[in-house]
Amino acid sequence: MGFKDKFAESFARSKTMTGPEKKANEIMGKLIMKKAIAPIVLMLIVLIGGISFKVNSWVVLGVNLLIAVGTYFYIKKVSEKFQNFKPYVGNLISLEKKGKNEYVAIIKQGKMPIKLEIAYGGEDFVNVKKNQLVQVSYNHDAKIAILVTKQ
């Protein structure tokens, strides 16, 4: 599969995404960009430092390429961690606001209540009524919660 085919498939997929999928991609994209800021700044520091200390431009290019390759594998590993969503279906028992954007939701799934600590995506739960049936996709590692449906 060529690059053109991959791009076409990705573009078609982005046009047919549902609301929760778009929300999840938006949150994960922001988190990955936060992780990518440090290597970008490091590459600029190497470039400026190389120019100011009159280091050979090939050495500066080599160091920047090493940083770029390392960043690629780091971002790939981090993005795989963000893909592990577990679905929960149950009644929303309570929602508590812990911090500025942090929430704790308790969902009763069957007889067991499940406590979800939400760092990203908790603002969707504010409009959900108590004891309302919800379907949630939750990532335990990054504490991302995506409200799929509410009834």
Side-chain angles (χ1 to χ4, degrees), residues 6-29 83 146 148:
K6 286 183 182 179
F7 178 75
E9 182 181 317
S10 174
F11 183 74
R13 174 74 179 124
S14 70
K15 293 296 181 185
T16 60
M17 278 188 197
T18 62
E21 287 176 327
K22 286 182 182 178
K23 178 80 171 171
N25 279 345
E26 180 182 321
I27 291 171
M28 288 186 290
Q83 298 296 324
I146 304 298
V148 179

Side-chain angles (χ1 to χ4, degrees), residues 23 27 101 103 118-125 143-147:
K23 178 80 171 171
I27 291 171
N101 290 327
Y103 296 89
I118 304 169
Y120 303 100
E123 60 275 356
D124 295 340
F125 291 87
K143 297 182 181 176
I144 301 171
I146 304 298
L147 182 62

Side-chain angles (χ1 to χ4, degrees), residues 85-99:
F85 281 94
K86 185 174 180 183
Y88 293 104
V89 178
N91 294 333
L92 182 69
I93 301 299
S94 70
L95 180 71
E96 297 177 22
K97 188 169 184 173
K98 290 291 182 183

Side-chain angles (χ1 to χ4, degrees), residues 14 54 77 83 137-138:
S14 70
K54 297 187 189 324
K77 182 180 175 185
Q83 298 296 324
S137 291
Y138 185 70

Side-chain angles (χ1 to χ4, degrees), residues 87-95 104-116 125 128-136:
Y88 293 104
V89 178
N91 294 333
L92 182 69
I93 301 299
S94 70
L95 180 71
V104 174
I106 299 177
I107 296 176
K108 187 174 182 184
Q109 186 174 7
K111 293 183 179 182
M112 295 272 306
I114 299 167
K115 182 178 180 181
L116 304 177
F125 291 87
V128 177
K129 296 176 185 173
K130 202 172 190 180
N131 289 327
Q132 190 171 3
L133 185 65
V134 293
Q135 181 180 356
V136 179

Side-chain angles (χ1 to χ4, degrees), residues 32-52:
I32 290 172
M33 285 303 292
K34 285 182 184 177
K35 301 280 185 180
I37 289 175
I40 291 170
V41 169
L42 182 62
M43 289 174 77
L44 287 174
I45 289 172
V46 167
L47 183 66
I48 293 169
I51 291 171
S52 65

Side-chain angles (χ1 to χ4, degrees), residues 42-43 45-51 55-70:
L42 182 62
M43 289 174 77
I45 289 172
V46 167
L47 183 66
I48 293 169
I51 291 171
V55 178
N56 188 351
S57 61
W58 290 107
V59 173
V60 174
L61 177 67
V63 171
N64 275 337
L65 285 175
L66 285 174
I67 293 171
V69 168

